[in-house]
Amino acid sequence: MVGGAHGVSAVYLAGKLMRGVLVGVSPWDPVTLIDATLGLGLVTIGACYVPARRVLGIDPARSLREE
């Protein structure tokens, strides 16, 4: 909830700053905001998935015995 509140305020402030740069899109266009959120979410999941899959292949007991 706190992250969402910060995100909404950041989008509002960034929209004001980028109003002159955006052409043909409103800074608060819901489709664009949802697409950006989903895109960043997919990148985050991918960045977490790859290391997690590598770690799942390691035997914890063997890992603790090795120096």
Side-chain angles (χ1 to χ4, degrees), residues 10-22 27-28:
V11 164
Y12 180 74
L13 293 173
K16 281 187 167 188
L17 293 172
M18 295 191 63
R19 184 179 293 271
V21 178
L22 298 173
W28 300 283

Side-chain angles (χ1 to χ4, degrees), residues 5-61:
H6 286 302
V8 168
S9 61
V11 164
Y12 180 74
L13 293 173
K16 281 187 167 188
L17 293 172
M18 295 191 63
R19 184 179 293 271
V21 178
L22 298 173
V23 177
V25 175
S26 168
W28 300 283
D29 180 35
V31 175
T32 304
L33 294 175
I34 290 170
D35 287 346
T37 302
L38 291 176
L40 288 172
L42 288 173
V43 169
T44 302
I45 289 170
C48 294
Y49 179 77
V50 173
R53 287 295 296 175
R54 287 186 68 190
V55 168
L56 285 174
I58 298 172
D59 179 30

